[in-house]
Amino acid sequence: MLELQHIKWETPSGEEILKDVNIVFPDNKLVVITGPNGGGKTTIAKIISGIEKPTGGKILLNGNDITNKDITERARMGISFAFQQPIRFKGITVKDLLSLATEKPLSDGELSVLLHKVGLCAKDYLDREINSALSGGEIKRIEIATVLARNTPLAVFDEPEAGIDLWSFTNLIQTFTDLKNEKKATLVIISHQERILSIADEVIVLSGGKVEKQGPAEEILPDILSNTRGKYCCPKGREIN
């Protein structure tokens, strides 16, 4: 179980982004964090993964304090992270990256399944370099495939729908639904999208650096959709600003 206790974070200039955030992420559930832009959602994702360190509070993983663990240590402990804007790796092929993610060679069949889950054809992508020749959407889907390949107990996805076409987005929803139903990992997704919110077990609304609402999706989602449609989320995979 992952638990954030009294988490605070401020910029080097002293701007307070997170203000005493307390969240318990239940094991083997799909949890979606939503809320207005600037509310601290991406900061929470980076703090969980170890990219950012909180300026106050504790992070517990299965009862162990991991607050001072860096991103590499947390990765070894079973935490995966997919960036909102993925990194490009010139000279490394898609096949190389997926094999590095799993730390073992993968068969062509296994590679094909991973890429199909994110809407990519293995024969067209396995030998391609992860460089500027790939579009932002292609890079995003490849990174999500690496997270799926790692198969860790905890995976964090920062706006996985960004830059993805509608067909691939639909495929991605099915992938998240399948992972949720397998109940083998805790999935934390940062998203504004109604279709992603609709498959969540738990929904957390983060606004102004604080948890505004948290609870089972069937309790939280109707209130969000009826009272704040367009402020927190959007229908049919489209983002409303």
Side-chain angles (χ1 to χ4, degrees):
M1 179 181 291
L2 177 70
E3 185 174 358
L4 307 184
Q5 297 182 346
H6 305 291
I7 294 297
K8 299 180 180 180
W9 189 82
E10 60 182 41
T11 66
S13 64
E15 181 184 1
E16 194 174 30
I17 304 299
L18 297 178
K19 308 167 185 178
D20 196 30
V21 171
N22 294 279
I23 302 174
V24 175
F25 296 91
D27 287 339
N28 304 325
K29 298 289 186 180
L30 193 160
V31 181
V32 177
I33 301 177
T34 192
N37 291 332
K41 302 184 300 299
T42 291
T43 302
I44 283 287
K46 290 180 178 180
I47 282 176
I48 292 171
S49 65
I51 296 171
E52 297 286 358
K53 288 186 64 175
T55 52
K58 288 184 179 181
I59 307 166
L60 303 179
L61 181 64
N62 298 325
N64 298 312
D65 189 344
I66 64 168
T67 311
N68 294 316
K69 301 288 186 184
D70 61 26
I71 188 170
T72 302
E73 292 172 306
R74 294 189 200 189
R76 289 171 179 161
M77 296 174 75
I79 298 177
S80 297
F81 180 70
F83 289 87
Q84 185 175 346
Q85 297 294 331
I87 301 170
R88 297 174 187 268
F89 299 92
K90 186 177 180 180
I92 296 179
T93 66
V94 172
K95 184 175 183 177
D96 293 336
L97 187 63
L98 291 173
S99 296
L100 286 170
T102 58
E103 298 183 345
K104 65 178 182 180
L106 295 173
S107 69
D108 288 347
E110 289 171 321
L111 291 165
S112 181
V113 168
L114 284 169
L115 291 178
H116 178 73
K117 286 181 177 181
V118 295
L120 297 176
C121 178
K123 68 177 182 179
D124 294 334
Y125 285 90
L126 282 181
D127 295 323
R128 292 186 65 178
E129 281 192 22
I130 303 173
N131 55 26
S132 58
L134 293 170
S135 71
E138 288 171 322
I139 290 287
K140 189 66 177 280
R141 283 180 277 175
I142 290 165
E143 184 186 44
I144 292 171
T146 66
V147 172
L148 298 179
R150 291 198 66 219
N151 195 29
T152 54
L154 175 63
V156 182
F157 300 86
D158 188 6
E159 297 195 22
E161 70 277 6
I164 292 181
D165 61 86
L166 183 59
W167 184 87
S168 296
F169 179 65
T170 300
N171 213 33
L172 190 61
I173 292 292
Q174 186 59 53
T175 295
F176 285 139
T177 301
D178 292 342
L179 291 171
K180 169 189 170 180
N181 292 337
E182 288 173 5
K183 297 186 183 300
K184 294 180 180 180
T186 300
L187 308 176
V188 179
I189 304 177
I190 310 298
S191 182
H192 293 282
Q193 303 296 345
E194 184 177 329
R195 289 181 64 188
I196 291 180
L197 284 160
S198 69
I199 64 171
D201 292 304
E202 296 254 343
V203 173
I204 297 167
V205 178
L206 197 66
S207 180
K210 297 181 179 180
V211 174
E212 186 175 287
K213 302 175 187 290
Q214 177 177 2
E218 61 267 23
E219 295 178 9
I220 302 297
L221 193 53
D223 184 55
I224 293 175
L225 297 182
S226 63
N227 296 316
T228 57
R229 184 180 291 275
K231 178 182 178 184
Y232 295 153
C233 62
C234 56
K236 299 181 182 179
R238 298 192 303 271
E239 184 165 351
I240 297 174
N241 295 318

